[in-house]
């Protein structure tokens, strides 16, 4: 999996990380609205989604620091 992730650009990692984190927040809101009816299914999925989103966000930040936004582009200005 790490070999495949090397080719992911900053944008791909950032968007995927944001999507996973947003999905986790959505699941927590659904859990609250339903009165914790499916808490045994929703909370573990939300936790896994949040961990994956966090890992992808960290990977995007590392790519941004190294300037690997996309092949053939210059390092971004801060």
């Amino acid at each position: 999996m790490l070999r495949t992730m090397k080719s992911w650009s900053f944008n791909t990692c950032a968007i995927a990380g944001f999507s996973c984190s947003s999905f986790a927040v959505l699941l927590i809101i659904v859990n609250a609205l339903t009165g914790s009816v499916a808490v045994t299914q929703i909370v573990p999925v939300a936790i896994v989604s949040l961990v994956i989103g966090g890992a992808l966000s960290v990977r995007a930040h590392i790519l941004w620091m190294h300037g690997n936004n996309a092949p053939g582009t210059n390092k971004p200005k801060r």
Side-chain angles (χ1 to χ4, degrees):
M1 180 173 166
L2 291 177
R3 178 108 172 118
T4 335
M5 218 168 149
K6 278 186 171 183
S7 64
W8 284 23
S9 69
F10 165 79
N11 291 336
T12 306
C13 287
I15 291 170
F18 178 76
S19 298
C20 287
S21 298
S22 298
F23 181 65
V25 170
L26 175 72
L27 287 175
I28 297 298
I29 291 171
V30 167
N31 184 43
L33 292 177
T34 60
S36 299
V37 173
V39 72
T40 57
Q41 292 87 18
I42 290 178
V43 172
V45 172
I47 290 171
V48 169
S49 180
L50 196 57
V51 168
I52 292 171
L56 287 170
S57 295
V58 167
R59 176 71 178 154
H61 184 71
I62 290 170
L63 286 172
W64 181 74
M65 284 181 4
H66 290 289
N68 297 333
N69 289 346
T73 60
N74 295 332
K75 189 172 183 176
K77 295 180 181 175
R78 294 183 190 196

